[in-house]
Amino acid sequence: MNKYQYSTNTIYYQQARVFRRTNDHAMAYCLEPFVFFDENKNYTPTVNPRNLSKAQIDRISKIAHFGLGYKKHNTTKWYAITQLMIWQTADTSGDYYFTDGLNGPRINPYQSEIQEINNLIKEYDKLPSFNNKTYTVIEGNNLVVEDTNNIITSFKSNDNLTITDNKITLNNIKEGNYNYTFTKQDNYYNKPIIFYQANGSQNLVNYGDLNDLNASFKVKAIHTKIELSKIDQDNKSTTPRGEATLDGAVYKLYDTNDNLIHTFTINDNYDVLNNIDFGKYYLLEDTPGIGYTLDTNKYEINIAENNPTIQLTLENKVIEKKIIIEKKYGDNNKLMNEENISFNIFNSNDELIETVITDENGLIEITLPYGKYKIVQINSTDGYSKIEPFTVEVSDNEEERIELKDLRIPVPNTRAETSLFLLIIRLVLILL
Amino acid sequence: MIKRLYLLLVLFLLLLLPFSILKISAKEETFPNFKIITLGEKPIGTLTINKINLKEDLYDIDSPRNNVDEHVTILKESSFPDILVLAAHSGKGKIAYFQELDHLNINDTIKLTYKNNNYIYYVVSIWEEKKDGYININKENNYQLVLTTCSPNKDGYQLIINCVKKESN
């Protein structure tokens, strides 16, 4: 084998030799070409042989692993091939090659074998396609991760997951961040690779099992949700006005293709949809609560990794009616405005909610929210009776005018007089 | 004693007289010569209350026949169809058209034919007021028919029956 030194244009050459340990004849490879080997030196094992980088140590280890002794690599040519490849890796200052005889012309007799070792190293170094990736999923979902490099089956994991063929399946993932690790262990030789070094003699390397190869991927399970809260538009609270109810309102969630995704029904002023997929949606009210007008707004929603929770406070306007009470009194032919007449307004639970008084025009204007109300007159002008309590129902927004007229109508004497016959009988009875 | 016997004799003789001429409550029969009749005048309508077997003509509000001593009377403050107030005698006699008005109950129906149109009312409230020459009525948003007469059961009180028109009419 020759070495052509780039810097000095010098060619070094030597006959290939096999190094064996004296006590067990285990083969070793030279790491420092054309450096003197003193077989009398005491070698010490090391994991950090001098003059080699980590990358060089790694590649040399793999060349030694897949060289002589690996499977069918059992002839001495594999020693020479392995040694050449180790030198090429350990010393990049020159070009190493086989020659036809000592310092003979360059030949390339073992290209396929070299390529085979390189392929074995490349294959060994191959990591699952998902290595170092992070997958973001919605809580509760399943995740299937496929290794397109098709080598996951040579790895093992202590994590709770299932590996089938080249796929990893995670079921019903809870919210959180997870790191799944995989390890490929090499036990081909059942002994470690050991480097040896000694002062005044060149370093050597034995062959053995490779270091573990690790792979991993991360899973970020996110809890997404859309929370709806219902309030009254006027009082900005969850307390409905009048006899209306905010509960029972129905909202429908659609995706951007107008497909219905979910139907919300407000209960206790609230509803929530958990773990909806990432995406863009819109929300429309389908049915308002009883006594409320429809919320016609279109709510755009974008569920994303950085925006997993949407909280919407939705308002409804209660149905309310302006009621004008016009109070008059008189004999129907001549009616007058009745001023300072008070009315109590009761709700359907007979709770007094307001007292109103007619102005100088006999008018009262009041706006009442959805519900049924009983209106009771409290006082009246002297000589006039009170209006019988009456009911007002607010179920739409149409203004309602109520005319209340107390009529005081003169009536003739409507008592028919007693017959003379009966008068006489009475008189007789008195006289007797 | 003789004086008392004399009085009894007089009373007996009086009892022999025809019954028709003894009654003075029905003005039409007692004093027929004073009855004012507008020739050719026709009733403006008819009040029918089946429950008390009443069917009586009504005359125009300005008609001389529209008086309580002859007919069921439309009071001047009426303004049909908003409110029609009818008064008539109770007690005894032929003109006591409303003598059984107190037999009416809530939801009883009353038929009114007025200017050739038929209307059905139903009773919504009944009350009595102390007589002072007036009755107090709450004008409602519905078309009202008010019937009034002296209370047959309670001296010094006026019976008032408030009815509203049925929506289907």
Side-chain angles (χ1 to χ4, degrees), chain A residues 189-201:
Chain A
Y189 296 109
N190 278 322
K191 63 172 188 169
I193 288 176
I194 301 173
F195 289 85
Y196 298 93
Q197 61 186 15
N199 288 328
S201 183

Side-chain angles (χ1 to χ4, degrees), chain A residues 22-34:
Chain A
T22 52
N23 60 345
D24 61 359
H25 300 290
M27 284 185 294
Y29 297 102
C30 168
L31 290 174
E32 296 169 299
F34 304 106

Side-chain angles (χ1 to χ4, degrees), chain A residues 204-298:
Chain A
L204 301 172
V205 62
N206 200 345
Y207 61 86
D209 293 329
L210 297 172
N211 291 332
D212 291 350
L213 197 60
N214 295 316
S216 68
F217 69 88
K218 292 178 179 175
V219 174
K220 188 176 182 182
I222 296 179
H223 182 94
T224 63
K225 63 179 174 181
I226 299 173
E227 284 184 305
L228 306 185
S229 299
K230 222 11 162 161
I231 63 170
D232 181 280
Q233 183 177 310
D234 297 310
N235 62 24
K236 303 295 182 192
S237 81
T238 54
T239 304
R241 295 182 61 216
E243 294 170 14
T245 173
L246 291 163
D247 285 348
V250 174
Y251 277 85
K252 290 189 173 178
L253 185 73
Y254 299 89
D255 64 15
T256 50
N257 294 320
D258 301 326
N259 297 312
L260 177 63
I261 303 300
H262 182 72
T263 299
F264 292 91
T265 302
I266 300 295
N267 186 29
D268 287 338
N269 303 94
Y270 179 83
D271 197 12
V272 62
L273 172 61
N274 287 304
N275 294 326
I276 184 173
D277 289 341
F278 294 136
K280 291 184 176 179
Y281 305 90
Y282 66 91
L283 187 72
L284 293 175
E285 187 173 43
D286 183 71
T287 310
I290 294 171
Y292 278 94
T293 55
L294 188 72
D295 173 9
T296 56
N297 291 315
K298 183 178 183 180

Side-chain angles (χ1 to χ4, degrees), chain A residues 29 102 110 158 166 254 325 352 361 375 405 430:
Chain A
Y29 297 102
L102 185 64
Y110 303 120
N158 293 324
N166 60 337
Y254 299 89
I325 296 175
L352 177 64
N361 297 314
I375 301 181
K405 297 174 185 172
I430 290 168

